Amino acid sequence: TGSGGSVQAAGVKTHSGVSDQTDPTIEELTAMYAQFQTPQNRYAVMPSTSAPYSAGEVDAFYQEQTMSYLNFYRYVAKLPPLEDSEEKDNLAQHGAVLLASKKSMNNYQVEHYPSKPANMDNDFYQLGLKGTSWSTISGYNYRDRVNSGGWTWEQVEEHRREVMLPMSVKFQIRDYEPGDFRDVGHRRYLLSPYLNSVGFGMAETPDNYVGYYFFDLAVSDYVQYELNFAQSYDFTAWPPSGNCPNDMMEKVFPWSISLNENLYKIPFTFNQNGQRVADKSGIVITVTRTSDGKVWTFDENSP
């Protein structure tokens, strides 16, 4: 476990996360992490990813441990815990089945707007599409691991049962793919002070080994309620101020900070359609490394 910390200068905000949540101690983090247990089952009801399609259901204990893992990250970030939503679980599970139903060995990808399989009921498809388009989603190709000689199928099965849903959370908090560097959107969504509930789902490809698809969350119809679920905070950051386990922040992972938009307003203009467009031309950000005083400067054109 690494240790952070800061000095509060006049007018300088150094506490990330919600204002009334204090920095967890190393002992508290260690005790919370020690509570995680290894699930024995993935599904309570196995989903069907070919006709006749059925959503199935993730094992309750598996889901509980995944939620605890996500809330551990939020605890480190000094954010309130999330609750499980049956509505979002249902959307996520339908979306996972939709993705898995369309995959083959030569077509491995994660997509937010998959087309409708010819033999899928339209009501099922609409639920799945709502799940895929309003979620952060992940996939994992086990066949590549086996074909490269790195794993056996027995190891695949063990890995699926024990860690795949929690690993989806870890991958998205890391957000270290080059295409995600500019906005780190998965992380900022999972570590949003305004988010209050999530759902999880997963399903496997028709041949059971090509890929593994699952969801971290699916947004409900009540988006405005979630946005109005206001928290008192100045900013959220990763790594956060205070203590943070070392393996949650490695050298290759981008840092991120999200300001409270009610306190830090971005100037805007209106385009020809009367829509608001952010004007970032006057925004300059400086980052100072306190160990040696080195300064980096960023503006809207920075890579």
Side-chain angles (χ1 to χ4, degrees):
T1 302
S3 179
S6 57
V7 176
Q8 187 83 18
V12 177
K13 308 296 186 181
T14 59
H15 177 87
S16 63
V18 297
S19 303
D20 60 357
Q21 195 159 325
T22 59
D23 292 333
T25 66
I26 293 176
E27 293 74 19
E28 288 170 335
L29 292 174
T30 301
M32 188 172 184
Y33 190 82
Q35 295 177 5
F36 296 134
Q37 301 178 46
T38 300
Q40 297 303 309
N41 301 294
R42 299 198 305 278
Y43 300 104
V45 180
M46 188 74 179
S48 173
T49 58
S50 59
Y53 298 97
S54 63
E57 184 179 348
V58 176
D59 177 74
F61 185 68
Y62 195 111
Q63 188 136 338
E64 176 187 310
Q65 290 299 296
T66 304
M67 176 69 77
S68 296
Y69 194 71
L70 173 54
N71 278 332
F72 181 67
Y73 274 94
R74 289 180 63 91
Y75 180 63
V76 174
K78 294 181 285 294
L79 296 169
L82 302 174
E83 298 179 354
D84 179 72
S85 163
E86 291 186 7
E87 175 193 15
K88 296 179 185 180
D89 288 338
N90 187 51
L91 290 174
Q93 196 59 39
H94 280 77
V97 169
L98 171 60
L99 284 180
S101 72
K102 296 175 62 60
K103 302 307 166 186
S104 66
M105 282 196 300
N106 298 318
N107 183 19
Y108 174 77
Q109 60 183 344
V110 176
E111 52 190 330
H112 287 285
Y113 302 98
S115 59
K116 178 182 173 297
N119 55 356
M120 179 177 283
D121 177 80
N122 188 60
D123 290 342
F124 192 106
Y125 172 68
Q126 292 301 326
L127 285 173
L129 183 63
K130 187 173 182 179
T132 58
S133 58
W134 287 8
S135 294
T136 62
I137 58 181
S138 301
Y140 199 86
N141 192 336
Y142 283 109
R143 187 176 290 276
D144 284 352
R145 282 295 187 100
V146 174
N147 289 346
S148 67
W151 285 10
T152 65
W153 286 118
E154 289 74 17
Q155 289 173 309
V156 165
E157 186 62 23
E158 181 180 4
H159 192 261
R160 284 178 160 178
R161 186 186 78 248
E162 294 182 0
V163 299
M164 275 317 299
L165 265 178
M167 185 171 286
S168 74
V169 174
K170 179 182 288 187
F171 281 165
Q172 295 194 36
I173 296 291
R174 288 174 174 178
D175 238 357
Y176 61 96
E177 295 293 337
D180 297 324
F181 274 12
R182 285 195 67 88
D183 60 10
V184 203
H186 303 95
R187 178 194 297 167
R188 292 191 300 111
Y189 196 66
L190 292 173
L191 299 183
S192 168
Y194 303 113
L195 192 64
N196 59 83
S197 65
V198 296
F200 300 97
M202 60 182 176
E204 301 165 18
T205 50
D207 72 356
N208 203 38
Y209 292 123
V210 173
Y212 199 83
Y213 296 85
F214 42 84
F215 285 66
D216 285 327
L217 55 96
V219 178
S220 71
D221 286 329
Y222 308 108
V223 177
Q224 193 60 47
Y225 168 78
E226 293 183 342
L227 293 178
N228 289 335
F229 191 70
Q231 297 287 343
S232 175
Y233 75 106
D234 293 308
F235 64 93
T236 60
W238 196 263
S241 59
N243 294 309
C244 180
N246 288 330
D247 63 358
M248 287 185 161
M249 194 65 210
E250 300 176 16
K251 287 184 178 180
V252 296
F253 302 164
W255 291 31
S256 62
I257 183 170
S258 299
L259 304 178
N260 185 336
E261 295 183 12
N262 291 320
L263 301 177
Y264 304 94
K265 303 290 187 182
I266 297 178
F268 63 88
T269 58
F270 291 96
N271 63 20
Q272 60 183 8
N273 297 320
Q275 299 170 318
R276 288 203 324 179
V277 178
D279 178 10
K280 303 177 182 179
S281 59
I283 298 177
V284 177
I285 297 172
T286 60
V287 177
T288 303
R289 186 164 60 195
T290 56
S291 61
D292 60 4
K294 182 177 175 60
V295 177
W296 290 265
T297 302
F298 303 93
D299 59 24
E300 65 172 337
N301 299 313
S302 298

